[in-house]
Amino acid sequence: FVNYQQQGHNMETAFNFTAEMTALGKHPSSKVLGLRRRSSSKGISKNLQIHDGTQVWEIRRVRLADDEPMQIVTAYIPYEDYPELTEEALESSLYTFIANTSGRMPAHAIEIYEAINLDAREAQVLGVLKGTAALRTLRTTYDSYGKPFETSIIVLRADYNRFMLKLDTNGTHFSKITA
């Protein structure tokens, strides 16, 4: 028996795990799995609109709500924009760090969702069995000038995340429902 506490996103929480979990009355936290500087690959460069080989931060974290692992996030941001990034800064909100450092705020994001089964490493980090169903989100986040500042791969536990589409003559309306 699964008891879902259904609550959808609003625009204030749509981009930010910390804000989303706080709005749900949960205590958000992060555990840094890795932080390294590396050269951007073709896909990362395309998403961030930078040249191949440009230095980026690769940030790997598990995001938790009330100490329960909810998602694994691998994010990429341009190194030259945030050279002072530290693991300590990543223990809370990356977007808060970006806003405090550069003043950039997310204005919109493009996300692609894929159904996956967790591999052994992902399952261990999320505290579930290997092969458990999950969602993978490929996201690029843009500031108010339309410039991308972050691209990420987010692996979401399927038992805590559902999506709702409302279709009508005015278009399609999407909301994420987090348990």
Side-chain angles (χ1 to χ4, degrees), residues 69-123:
M70 300 287 284
Q71 55 185 239
I72 302 168
V73 181
T74 304
Y76 302 91
I77 61 175
Y79 173 82
E80 71 177 16
D81 293 346
Y82 311 101
E84 65 281 359
L85 182 64
T86 64
E87 283 192 25
E88 183 177 79
L90 296 171
E91 291 175 2
S92 60
S93 170
L94 175 61
Y95 287 176
T96 297
F97 170 81
I98 289 170
N100 290 341
T101 302
S102 67
R104 296 172 86 175
M105 296 290 293
H108 74 277
I110 296 175
E111 296 185 337
I112 299 169
Y113 291 87
E114 304 171 330
I116 64 167
N117 294 99
L118 297 174
D119 65 25
R121 182 190 59 81
E122 294 164 333

Side-chain angles (χ1 to χ4, degrees), residues 9-11 13-18 20 43-44 47-48 61 63 71 73-77 93-95 106 108-114 136-142 148-156 163 174 176:
H9 278 298
N10 61 36
M11 286 309 290
T13 62
F15 299 110
N16 188 308
F17 178 84
T18 300
E20 176 186 6
I44 294 166
N47 289 347
L48 290 175
R61 300 184 294 169
R63 305 304 308 268
Q71 55 185 239
V73 181
T74 304
Y76 302 91
I77 61 175
S93 170
L94 175 61
Y95 287 176
H108 74 277
I110 296 175
E111 296 185 337
I112 299 169
Y113 291 87
E114 304 171 330
R136 180 172 39 223
T137 306
L138 309 173
R139 174 195 277 182
T140 301
T141 308
Y142 299 80
F149 64 85
E150 180 238 9
T151 191
S152 59
I153 302 163
I154 305 166
V155 176
L156 302 159
F163 299 90
F174 173 84
K176 180 180 169 199

Side-chain angles (χ1 to χ4, degrees), residues 26-74:
K26 297 179 182 286
H27 174 73
S29 61
S30 296
K31 180 180 176 189
V32 178
L33 303 174
L35 172 65
R36 71 181 179 125
R37 185 175 157 183
R38 60 168 276 197
S39 297
S40 64
S41 62
K42 190 173 190 170
I44 294 166
S45 299
K46 180 181 175 188
N47 289 347
L48 290 175
Q49 299 175 5
I50 58 178
H51 296 290
D52 287 352
T54 299
Q55 292 294 293
V56 295
W57 283 114
E58 179 184 83
I59 303 157
R60 292 184 310 110
R61 300 184 294 169
V62 59
R63 305 304 308 268
L64 304 108
D66 293 338
D67 296 322
E68 180 77 22
M70 300 287 284
Q71 55 185 239
I72 302 168
V73 181
T74 304

